[in-house]
Amino acid sequence: MSAPAVILTRCDLVSLMARADYLAAVEEAFRADKEGRAGAPLPMHVDGEGGIFHAKGAFLKADRAFVAVKLNGNFPGNPARHDLPTIQGAVLLCDASNGALLAIMDSIEITLRRTAAASALAARHLAKKDAATLLVCGCGEQARVQVEALSDMRALRQAFAYDIDPARAKSFAREMQAALEVRVDAVEKITDVAPACDVIVTCTTASAPILHREDIRPGAFIAAVGADSPYKNEIAPDLMAASKVVVDVRAQCAEMGDLRVALAAGVLTMDDVHADLGEIVTGAAPGRCAPDDIIVFDSTGTALQDVASAVVAYDRACETGAGVRVDLGSARH
């Protein structure tokens, strides 16, 4: 008879995992991939009505072998129309040696935190050491965790917040200023402040570019997070062409990231990609080479991050007794 699976809610995950845990898990995921201990096929996309579903899976060999599969619904109109989160779903964690289901956990917290951890990991290697000004484009839930994670990497003195809804940007600025004790100002136009910013994170639902080459100062680091499906685009081809491009997963970014748009425009080839994040983490490729380099991290989100984060959460739940145990395979016929 199989052992009970652990069910972890979002509240459980909040109590079990800190920002540093996600950062360590994501770093381990990219390192394991380069060491041949992990792997992930390209995600599957299924159209819904007013949104899209992403299905992602990955294998990770740590002290034992695991597989995680995540199904997320991404419905940008949910907050306004249904009072529901834009992204929601579940992660299933399994024992890769026998197929046993180990855990079912909320995907909202994992998706938000592991995405922000990847940006922070990239910033550690790619942002200028003295970076002090931040612009966040898009002021939803992802923006909050992005700003928190990036503030762990650099001593920020000033942040700016932009959203297509100015009221949301103002509310976000007030909230983050109180949380981080850093001055945060809402802005109505990206172009008003982008040229003065050392770090920019884009986490919008845009389907057309919101950042162009003329908007960016020499030496800026950009974490482009929003283009997580083939229908999205935040970074203009001219900016991609002028930047050192680092990706999370080459093949995935070529199909669904801002890299896809640059390739289609003919301004970049796959050979122009500087590195993937795993190569940067393991030292197989250099990070920032010159102070004036503009660096774009094309972050499409990989299931490698999900499985590594889920393993840590599962181990913590086993240690602490958190969550609910359910034997889904107990009935025999």
Side-chain angles (χ1 to χ4, degrees), residues 55-136:
K56 300 181 177 183
F59 165 86
L60 174 67
K61 177 74 172 179
D63 57 330
R64 59 196 277 202
F66 298 91
V67 162
V69 177
K70 181 176 78 174
L71 178 66
N72 262 1
N74 189 325
F75 286 70
N78 269 359
R81 294 200 300 266
H82 306 294
D83 196 28
L84 289 172
T86 297
I87 295 175
Q88 52 193 332
V91 177
L92 275 65
L93 181 68
C94 300
D95 187 321
S97 67
N98 60 23
L101 177 64
L102 301 175
I104 304 170
M105 56 190 78
D106 164 72
S107 73
I108 298 175
E109 188 70 10
I110 284 181
T111 301
L112 289 171
R113 294 291 177 180
R114 60 78 150 154
T115 304
S119 295
L121 182 63
R124 175 194 284 171
H125 294 277
L126 304 173
K128 292 194 300 182
K129 298 299 183 184
D130 61 350
T133 51
L134 167 70
L135 167 63
V136 58

Side-chain angles (χ1 to χ4, degrees), residues 235-293:
I235 311 301
D238 68 335
L239 176 53
M240 294 289 285
S243 303
K244 179 178 289 186
V245 176
V246 175
V247 298
D248 52 7
V249 180
R250 279 181 171 84
Q252 188 167 296
C253 289
E255 289 204 358
M256 55 189 278
D258 288 299
L259 176 62
R260 173 189 64 84
V261 179
L263 293 172
V267 299
L268 287 180
T269 69
M270 291 300 291
D271 290 339
D272 294 318
V273 174
H274 171 67
D276 63 42
L277 188 54
E279 291 167 334
I280 300 292
V281 167
T282 59
R288 174 171 290 276
C289 299
D292 286 346
D293 282 344

Side-chain angles (χ1 to χ4, degrees), residues 158-320:
Q158 170 77 69
F160 301 98
Y162 165 81
D163 194 272
I164 194 170
D165 179 354
R168 175 187 279 188
K170 291 177 182 177
S171 175
F172 177 87
R174 288 193 297 269
E175 176 188 339
M176 297 311 298
Q177 180 164 299
L180 299 179
E181 298 182 350
V182 171
R183 179 171 176 174
V184 184
D185 294 321
V187 296
E188 295 188 1
K189 293 175 63 179
I190 292 174
T191 52
D192 286 344
V193 295
C197 291
D198 302 314
V199 177
I200 301 174
V201 58
T202 58
C203 43
T204 73
T205 59
S207 57
I210 62 171
L211 282 180
H212 299 264
R213 173 63 190 92
E214 64 267 21
D215 303 326
I216 307 302
R217 74 189 304 174
F221 166 72
I222 302 164
V225 174
D228 59 355
S229 77
Y231 310 106
K232 294 182 178 180
N233 175 218
E234 295 178 311
I235 311 301
D238 68 335
L239 176 53
M240 294 289 285
S243 303
K244 179 178 289 186
V245 176
V246 175
V247 298
D248 52 7
V249 180
R250 279 181 171 84
Q252 188 167 296
C253 289
E255 289 204 358
M256 55 189 278
D258 288 299
L259 176 62
R260 173 189 64 84
V261 179
L263 293 172
V267 299
L268 287 180
T269 69
M270 291 300 291
D271 290 339
D272 294 318
V273 174
H274 171 67
D276 63 42
L277 188 54
E279 291 167 334
I280 300 292
V281 167
T282 59
R288 174 171 290 276
C289 299
D292 286 346
D293 282 344
I294 297 172
I295 303 179
V296 172
F297 173 50
D298 193 0
S299 175
T300 54
T302 168
L304 295 169
Q305 300 160 262
D306 297 317
V307 66
S309 300
V311 167
V312 175
Y314 172 71
D315 286 344
R316 294 278 173 80
C318 291
E319 293 168 3
T320 63

